[in-house]
Amino acid sequence: MQHTIENLTLKLNQQINFIYDGINIPLSPMQLATNLIGIMRLDSKTPAPVPFTNHWTEQDAVLITYGDSLEKKDGHNVLEPPLQTLNQFLQGPVREAFNSVHILPFYPYSSDDGFSVINYTAVNESLGDWSDINNIADKFRLMADLVINHCSSRSVWFDQFIKDEPPGNKFFKTGDAQADYSEVTRPRASPLLRETQTKIGQKLVWCTFSHDQVDFDFCNPDVLCEFVKIIRKYLDEGVKIFRLDAVAFLWKTNGTSCVNLPQTHEIIRLLRTLIEHACPDAVIITETNIPNQENLSYFGNANEAHSVYNFSLPPLLVNTLICGNSRHLRQWLMSMPPCQDGTAYFNFIASHDGIGLRPAEGLLSEPEINTLISTMMNFGGRISMRTLADGSLRPYEINIALFDALQGTTSGPDKFGLDRFICAHAVMLSLEGIPAIYIHSLLGTRNDYQRLENTQHNRHINRHRWDYDALNKELNKETSTHSAVFKRITDLLRIRRQQKAFHPNATQFTLQLSDELVGVWRQSIDRKQSIFCIHNITDQIVSLSFHELNLIEGVAWRDLISGDQLNQTKSTLTLAPYQSLWLSNL
């Protein structure tokens, strides 16, 4: 085992040398490597991780939620810590459908609903405490955010920066008023640099996202060490999945785009090295809301992120369903490389943010994106902007509840909203990768215009807070849309987790069907099960001949969703508007 630690030290030394090449750091790379091993409490008994191991199965599905998406209330008073309310919800029917939960930032924060962290090692007391997090982690695989690019301007570290006190005085990236930052990629419309008066004079602090979110300077290895301490803390509290928030912007070098730089990739590889030695079944997921090919680069050579957010799926799938044409989605599916063992796509349609438009660049034309935007605005959505190099603004994301986004087509609202919404999830659940469902999709939550008006923050349109008793009444009401959505999605998830052909790494082949259909063929790793997943993405009845599917004759094919046996005496299949079929040979 001593040999393992020696190999680990040498590997870390090599990674540190790459990251800090040309930078004068106080410790030698070998000393820094030894310190990191000590922080993670690795020793001669630490086993070496087995490469190319899949840490997931077809039974994996992630529920995405805020810690306070559900509240027990008496008027304006919250009656119990929301994390305890969430735990009660998770122990109900949800448990039959999900084995993992992503609790969005549950730390003390000053803005951005948690993503402007004041204290990384505490639980926001308005949500609960670490024991509440532990109780959830005991029953579910817990995913937590490592908000690694920036922290709150109200943090102790930034206060130290202002007072020129260690360690925070050297933790933050500063800029130069004379430098040219026109090439810097911006996800927001606010100015990049924030004027901040400190004890030693005025500083221009780098703020990629907002002036309350001040960017770290990872050129200082002390910042890296602090985050390794945070990772160790999260592992101790039961976190098994680390979501690296906004990690693409981590390393900044003047004269570059300051996104996707080589040092950023190497830091992710270093963090993975440490995490998988400390906890072999823990995984890293990178959140990089950028064009598709750039996003895929975060897999590295199966040595970087275990999983990447499949950011192109939401805009492409929503566009497919409102246009009734699968051509762009089909072409994209055909272009996506199958994941190596040890890596998997993280599939989602809706999130706490919105429908990102950068991941649609190069996949949808500008007129098509404009049509998507105008349709979503007709359904009550809002548009958030980003600043381009020339100072102009461009749409960055669509902010809308997914249920509202799919209440019609480019022709306007119609009667197929519920079926279209369920079809979207059936498509997503059939694809290669690990599925994740936002709590407000699971509950069929609508646009929250009141919260949007109260906060004037576009993203709050899709961040509703449910009164738990009111929600339970809706879920127990047979005529409730919320109940119908919840039942149909959880039914799909229960079916899915029993099918080996839906393993995240099972073979996927895109079927060449008409533009009115989306079809993929999945085959289990042991090649025993095949599932033909066929979805009518239009508001019309669509027929499909058996010959187009090339089904093996003599096999009893059954639709897993309806339970019906396929009648092979007929020559065609008929799909109702937005109907999905999962045809299995088992």
Side-chain angles (χ1 to χ4, degrees):
M1 290 297 181
Q2 184 64 35
H3 183 62
T4 298
I5 288 297
E6 289 175 357
N7 287 343
L8 173 60
T9 306
L10 290 172
K11 182 176 182 179
L12 292 171
N13 176 68
Q14 184 179 36
Q15 292 172 324
I16 292 165
N17 265 308
F18 182 91
I19 295 166
Y20 297 107
D21 182 38
I23 298 174
N24 184 23
I25 59 177
L27 297 178
S28 71
M30 191 65 79
Q31 289 172 320
L32 183 53
T34 301
N35 284 357
L36 295 176
I37 289 171
I39 292 170
M40 290 295 281
R41 302 197 300 271
L42 307 178
D43 56 30
S44 59
K45 297 179 182 178
T46 300
V50 179
F52 305 107
T53 299
N54 292 328
H55 300 293
W56 40 79
T57 72
E58 61 277 4
Q59 297 189 27
D60 283 284
V62 182
L63 179 67
I64 304 169
T65 180
Y66 277 102
D68 59 358
S69 292
L70 310 174
E71 296 177 324
K72 287 187 179 178
K73 300 184 75 172
D74 179 11
H76 294 291
N77 299 317
V78 179
L79 300 178
E80 69 178 12
L83 286 171
Q84 294 179 17
T85 307
L86 174 62
N87 197 16
Q88 292 171 43
F89 177 71
L90 293 173
Q91 299 305 322
V94 170
R95 198 169 178 188
E96 301 173 26
F98 296 91
N99 67 352
S100 305
V101 59
H102 173 201
I103 306 177
L104 288 152
F106 47 79
Y107 327 110
Y109 71 96
S110 56
S111 64
D112 200 17
D113 283 354
F115 286 94
S116 185
V117 180
I118 293 174
N119 184 350
Y120 285 83
T121 59
V123 174
N124 186 340
E125 61 180 16
S126 70
L127 299 178
D129 56 31
W130 278 115
S131 68
D132 298 314
I133 294 293
N134 302 153
N135 289 337
I136 293 173
D138 286 343
K139 300 292 192 303
F140 291 83
R141 200 170 191 204
L142 178 61
M143 178 170 168
D145 291 274
L146 191 67
V147 185
I148 195 169
N149 179 72
H150 51 260
C151 72
S152 169
S153 65
R154 288 173 49 194
S155 65
V156 169
W157 288 333
F158 197 65
D159 187 56
Q160 292 169 344
F161 175 83
I162 292 171
K163 294 175 181 177
D164 192 33
E165 296 174 354
N169 60 337
K170 298 186 183 302
F171 269 22
F172 298 96
K173 175 71 175 176
T174 57
D176 181 348
Q178 305 305 315
D180 180 7
Y181 297 115
S182 61
E183 296 302 313
V184 175
T185 298
R186 295 300 316 287
R188 296 289 184 273
S190 58
L192 174 64
L193 301 177
R194 159 192 162 143
E195 295 181 357
T196 302
Q197 190 64 40
T198 75
K199 182 180 178 180
I200 56 174
Q202 188 180 81
K203 299 286 186 180
L204 297 176
V205 181
W206 199 287
C207 297
T208 298
F209 290 89
S210 79
H211 283 194
D212 185 46
Q213 294 166 295
V214 286
D215 285 23
F216 291 110
D217 185 358
F218 272 84
C219 289
N220 177 4
D222 289 343
V223 176
L224 175 64
C225 290
E226 285 295 333
F227 271 93
V228 173
K229 292 175 186 176
I230 293 165
I231 288 170
R232 181 66 262 181
K233 166 71 174 175
Y234 292 178
L235 285 169
D236 291 341
E237 300 293 353
V239 174
K240 287 297 183 69
I241 306 173
F242 291 84
R243 177 186 182 273
L244 303 190
D245 175 66
V247 71
F249 302 94
L250 189 69
W251 194 274
K252 290 90 174 171
T253 299
N254 289 357
T256 74
S257 65
C258 298
V259 65
N260 307 324
L261 297 188
Q263 294 90 340
T264 293
H265 285 277
E266 196 65 44
I267 287 173
I268 296 170
R269 287 191 282 268
L270 181 146
L271 295 179
R272 172 171 173 161
T273 299
L274 291 168
I275 288 171
E276 64 186 2
H277 275 82
C279 184
D281 62 342
V283 301
I284 286 175
I285 297 180
T286 49
E287 187 267 337
T288 48
N289 193 356
I290 51 181
N292 192 54
Q293 290 305 311
E294 296 174 34
N295 188 36
L296 293 178
S297 71
Y298 283 85
F299 278 133
N301 183 24
N303 62 348
E304 203 164 323
H306 295 87
S307 186
V308 300
Y309 271 73
N310 220 345
F311 273 109
S312 295
L313 180 59
L316 283 178
L317 184 50
V318 170
N319 181 75
T320 294
L321 287 161
I322 65 166
C323 294
N325 189 306
S326 65
R327 180 169 54 89
H328 291 309
L329 180 61
R330 185 171 65 247
Q331 289 174 345
W332 173 73
L333 287 171
M334 291 171 62
S335 74
M336 292 294 279
C339 287
Q340 299 182 61
D341 281 339
T343 64
Y345 295 118
F346 191 77
N347 292 332
F348 71 108
I349 320 173
S351 75
H352 61 289
D353 288 341
I355 301 170
L357 293 173
R358 287 211 71 206
E361 292 176 10
L363 303 174
L364 298 177
S365 67
E366 189 164 341
E368 288 168 331
I369 290 175
N370 290 337
T371 298
L372 173 61
I373 289 171
S374 62
T375 304
M376 294 300 98
M377 291 180 71
N378 288 338
F379 296 152
R382 301 294 189 269
I383 308 301
S384 294
M385 311 297 284
R386 68 185 181 96
T387 303
L388 300 183
D390 61 3
S392 63
L393 298 179
R394 183 166 184 166
Y396 176 70
E397 69 181 14
I398 301 167
N399 306 110
I400 191 170
L402 184 65
F403 193 83
D404 281 288
L406 295 174
Q407 284 307 294
T409 67
T410 53
S411 299
D414 60 26
K415 63 182 180 180
F416 296 111
L418 176 59
D419 290 331
R420 188 181 292 110
F421 182 75
I422 298 302
C423 178
H425 287 86
V427 172
M428 188 266 283
L429 291 173
S430 68
L431 299 179
E432 174 190 352
I434 302 165
I437 295 179
Y438 186 38
I439 192 169
H440 292 305
S441 294
L442 180 67
L443 302 175
T445 309
R446 306 298 297 264
N447 289 336
D448 190 335
Y449 295 114
Q450 182 176 347
R451 192 166 185 217
L452 174 65
E453 183 179 350
N454 290 342
T455 65
Q456 296 297 304
H457 192 304
N458 283 352
R459 287 178 168 178
H460 281 164
I461 198 171
N462 192 27
R463 295 181 182 179
H464 181 68
R465 289 173 179 158
W466 272 98
D467 176 272
Y468 191 54
D469 290 335
L471 173 63
N472 278 327
K473 287 179 182 178
E474 289 292 331
L475 295 183
N476 290 316
K477 191 190 304 179
E478 289 186 7
T479 58
S480 167
T481 301
H482 303 293
S483 175
V485 168
F486 183 85
K487 184 180 185 305
R488 291 181 68 176
I489 291 180
T490 52
D491 283 349
L492 287 173
L493 284 162
R494 279 192 290 267
I495 294 167
R496 184 188 185 280
R497 68 187 307 179
Q498 302 302 318
Q499 317 306 322
K500 290 188 180 298
F502 283 146
H503 186 287
N505 296 90
T507 297
Q508 176 172 299
F509 181 80
T510 305
L511 301 176
Q512 298 305 303
L513 305 176
S514 69
D515 288 347
E516 293 78 26
L517 298 169
V518 171
V520 295
W521 171 68
R522 302 296 307 278
Q523 184 183 56
S524 59
I525 294 170
D526 63 10
R527 299 188 179 181
K528 291 182 179 179
Q529 184 182 31
S530 288
I531 302 178
F532 287 84
C533 307
I534 307 155
H535 314 270
N536 179 359
I537 47 85
T538 75
D539 56 8
Q540 303 294 315
I541 294 171
V542 176
S543 295
L544 172 69
S545 72
F546 286 165
H547 177 72
E548 290 179 83
L549 285 181
N550 197 25
L551 295 177
I552 300 172
E553 295 183 8
V555 173
W557 295 93
R558 179 173 62 91
D559 177 23
L560 297 171
I561 297 175
S562 67
D564 295 340
Q565 193 90 3
L566 190 64
N567 185 347
Q568 298 192 48
T569 62
K570 296 183 177 180
S571 60
T572 60
L573 283 170
T574 301
L575 284 82
Y578 304 106
Q579 182 180 359
S580 294
L581 300 174
W582 288 349
L583 300 177
S584 173
N585 63 326
L586 296 180

